[in-house]
Amino acid sequence: MHSHPQLTLALDTAPAVSFDSFHVDSSTALVRDSLRAFVNGQLKEQQIFLWGESGTGKTHLLSAACQALAQRGYRVAYIPGEMVNEPGALDGMEQVELLCFDDLQRLDHASEVDLFHCINRCREAETRLILAADRAPDQLGLKLADLQTRLGWGLVCHTQFMDEDGLREAFRKEIQARSLEASDEVLGYVMRRFPRRMAALKSIVKTLDEVSLSEQRRITVPFVKSIFGEAERAALQGRLR
């Protein structure tokens, strides 16, 4: 196997997450379960394309797939969208067992041919592919029509935001996972005052955990208010745009 810096960067870049830590509700469980079945070899498909807005969990799912197979001794690679545009970045990538491309909306037109040939090589080598973008294959504005066809070869799944009940339950689980306690009043306050995105809720829980531990304080509404003022909420909202 050729030596590629991407293979090392891949596992360092993709966060260590799992399918079990991917929060779902009734409308989002199907995508997670499809990815898990795909990784476990329970689907006939060799390729899956995920599309959806930023913050709907695409990177989490790609990373979970990488981690699941890497832990079983398989060779995997996770390639962010901007790396696809590097000369020679895709050479020999069909030699891994799982190849994941993230943020393909960043693909340059000049790199479309390289990705096209890489997908063809993966098909011949029976390398499994998971590709992700913020829009469907036919909305990427590709100049190479054959590449658009290749991107839709397997399953095409739409990732979506969880509803409010799903987010509230996910927030509760994140709190419990850190052995913290928060009342329904606190949960309600956070859901009303902060961005209803999983990334935002995880960031909030992490901060609450750190501050409550250092100050030895219970998590109450006044405590949350003392940590997150209007400026912090605005900054958090801005990072999610």
Side-chain angles (χ1 to χ4, degrees), residues 8-230:
T8 300
L9 178 62
L11 292 180
D12 291 340
T13 303
V17 297
S18 68
F19 290 117
D20 288 337
S21 65
F22 185 77
H23 299 292
V24 297
D25 58 16
S26 58
S27 64
T28 60
L30 179 60
V31 175
R32 181 204 58 186
D33 294 344
S34 296
L35 261 292
R36 197 201 299 263
F38 176 79
V39 167
N40 290 334
Q42 298 168 334
L43 300 181
K44 294 182 180 179
E45 302 290 349
Q46 189 181 330
Q47 176 179 313
I48 290 183
F49 189 98
L50 303 177
W51 70 274
E53 292 184 59
S54 175
T56 53
K58 299 184 299 296
T59 297
H60 186 132
L61 289 170
L62 265 63
S63 180
C66 286
Q67 297 295 333
L69 285 182
Q71 289 173 359
R72 284 148 54 183
Y74 291 100
R75 295 168 297 177
V76 304
Y78 168 95
I79 304 181
E82 61 272 15
M83 286 188 63
V84 180
N85 301 317
E86 295 294 325
L90 305 185
D91 294 348
M93 282 296 172
E94 70 279 0
Q95 298 179 55
V96 301
E97 277 78 35
L98 174 67
L99 179 57
C100 294
F101 291 100
D102 205 354
D103 291 323
L104 281 181
Q105 70 274 5
R106 300 178 183 174
L107 179 70
D108 292 339
H109 291 308
S111 302
E112 290 182 17
V113 172
D114 289 341
L115 181 57
F116 169 80
H117 288 306
C118 179
I119 293 175
N120 286 341
R121 294 194 304 271
C122 287
R123 198 76 172 184
E124 294 176 0
E126 298 185 350
T127 297
R128 281 180 280 185
L129 283 166
I130 306 177
L131 310 103
D134 65 0
R135 66 206 76 166
D138 61 353
Q139 298 296 315
L140 286 171
L142 301 172
K143 290 186 176 180
L144 186 60
D146 285 342
L147 175 57
Q148 180 178 312
T149 300
R150 297 297 188 275
L151 294 180
W153 259 351
L155 287 179
V156 177
C157 301
H158 184 196
T159 60
Q160 302 178 62
F161 293 112
M162 285 191 291
D163 60 27
E164 183 169 341
D165 289 340
L167 280 173
R168 181 186 290 267
E169 183 59 25
F171 184 51
R172 188 188 302 277
K173 289 180 178 179
E174 286 289 321
I175 288 284
Q176 293 173 344
R178 291 176 179 266
S179 299
L180 301 173
E181 294 183 4
S183 66
D184 288 340
E185 182 185 14
V186 171
L187 296 179
Y189 175 80
V190 170
M191 294 300 296
R192 289 192 305 272
R193 300 288 290 173
F194 292 87
R196 295 177 182 179
R197 302 284 186 88
M198 199 61 243
L201 296 181
K202 287 186 175 182
S203 177
I204 292 166
V205 172
K206 181 175 182 295
T207 300
L208 290 175
D209 186 21
E210 293 172 350
V211 178
S212 65
L213 180 63
S214 64
E215 298 186 7
Q216 294 294 303
R217 292 179 60 185
R218 293 174 55 249
I219 298 176
T220 62
V221 170
F223 178 60
V224 175
K225 288 180 178 180
S226 70
I227 298 173
F228 298 101
E230 291 298 334

